Amino acid sequence: VHSGRSAAVSFPLTMMRGVPLHPFPKAESGIIRFPLENNFCNIIMRNAHNPMTRKQVFEASNLAITETNQRVLNDLIKTRHNLAEFLNYESFSCKMAQDKLIDSPEKV
């Protein structure tokens, strides 16, 4: 199983027993590669006879979601920090603390 930034997985056709293959991209050399999209993952989770196939798709799809969320959270933290600096605050927590009338994050 290959996952990560490419957000796709590959399986030998032998591991796809029970799965209707017509919605999937054409297999090459006995290997089927498809994006980790809900429609593909759901078809496999409902139909694959091999429990290892279902487990690998489940884990790969959750890993892809986690990596995406991590990138979004990092971008959010960076944006909040940039906003705080632009407004002449030491940090975003300092800005939020002042808005709440507690003066500094240390008083929380």
Side-chain angles (χ1 to χ4, degrees), residues 93-94 96-98 100-108:
S93 60
C94 289
M96 293 306 294
Q98 185 181 26
K100 305 294 184 224
L101 301 174
I102 57 173
D103 300 326
S104 71
E106 290 78 24
K107 291 185 179 179
V108 173

Side-chain angles (χ1 to χ4, degrees), residues 7-43:
V9 291
S10 300
F11 285 104
L13 285 174
T14 56
M15 290 187 71
M16 298 291 283
R17 201 164 287 124
V19 178
L21 297 178
H22 62 275
F24 291 87
K26 188 174 188 268
E28 295 180 21
S29 303
I31 302 290
I32 189 163
R33 181 173 172 82
F34 56 92
L36 284 171
E37 297 173 0
N38 280 342
N39 56 335
F40 293 124
C41 293
N42 288 338
I43 291 169

Side-chain angles (χ1 to χ4, degrees), residues 41-60:
C41 293
N42 288 338
I43 291 169
I44 292 171
M45 296 300 290
R46 283 192 308 256
N47 297 290
H49 293 175
N50 187 332
M52 195 57 154
T53 302
R54 293 190 305 270
K55 180 181 178 183
Q56 288 177 351
V57 168
F58 177 79
E59 289 174 349

